[in-house]
Amino acid sequence: MSKSLLYRLFGLRKVPARARERLENEGIVFDEEGTSCALYYKNFRCSHKYSGRGWESLAVGSLVITRRSFYIQFPYMILCDKPVEDVVKYLELELKGPDKLVMKFEVEKIFEPSTGSLTCYWRTDNASAIFNHICDLQANHAGC
């Protein structure tokens, strides 16, 4: 259910080989490469995307979480490849059912150079496991 048809047919949002090798060496915890998602933009600006307000409902994205890195790739070259402890403090999470994870990003801190608002609705069977893992990381970071 989690892999999009465009990913299965054309490899859309495939993690580049060099990045994939590095992520595998770090120990992948969750690998949601080529996953179906919906994006909601509000006054969003980055180097390749400008949007006043709108939805992109048939998007394909990649989310890979390792023991050290948080890798996200969305359409229009919106990319994040940062240490996981730096990213989790700038995420708001919500679980909408067993297979839908909502991530609201503080884009100025995560996707540089960007401004505005970006929310992603991931459709994945691992939604609750990813939610719990990130919540644990956020709790550990808050306790430090």
Side-chain angles (χ1 to χ4, degrees):
M1 175 181 173
S2 63
K3 302 296 183 206
S4 110
L5 180 63
L6 292 172
Y7 172 79
R8 285 183 269 155
L9 291 176
F10 305 110
L12 194 62
R13 299 295 164 259
K14 194 169 189 96
V15 176
R18 184 172 242 175
R20 164 67 62 191
E21 184 179 338
R22 180 183 54 82
L23 294 168
E24 286 175 352
N25 289 336
E26 292 177 4
I28 293 176
V29 179
F30 292 103
D31 185 356
E32 297 298 325
E33 181 182 61
T35 300
S36 298
C37 60
L39 301 173
Y40 173 70
Y41 303 100
K42 185 176 179 185
N43 300 326
F44 183 76
R45 291 185 175 280
C46 74
S47 56
H48 299 288
K49 174 76 174 164
Y50 301 98
S51 175
R53 182 180 295 230
W55 280 94
E56 190 167 328
S57 60
L58 295 175
V60 178
S62 289
L63 168 66
V64 181
I65 302 172
T66 70
R67 284 183 264 132
R68 294 189 309 196
S69 295
F70 196 91
Y71 180 92
I72 300 173
Q73 183 179 2
F74 288 130
Y76 309 108
M77 298 177 72
I78 302 169
L79 180 68
C80 170
D81 189 2
K82 295 186 174 186
V84 70
E85 62 273 1
D86 291 346
V87 174
V88 296
K89 57 188 171 186
Y90 302 114
L91 282 177
E92 280 183 43
L93 298 175
E94 186 179 347
L95 198 56
K96 295 228 181 200
D99 64 346
K100 188 182 270 187
L101 176 65
V102 180
M103 287 184 178
K104 184 173 182 181
F105 303 100
E106 286 188 43
V107 296
E108 294 88 3
K109 307 274 186 351
I110 298 175
F111 304 106
E112 297 160 358
S114 299
T115 59
S117 172
L118 174 63
T119 304
C120 180
Y121 296 79
W122 295 99
R123 293 179 201 98
T124 173
D125 294 334
N126 293 326
S128 60
I130 294 169
F131 177 84
N132 292 333
H133 179 72
I134 293 174
C135 286
D136 289 344
L137 291 171
Q138 288 174 332
N140 289 342
H141 178 73
C144 293

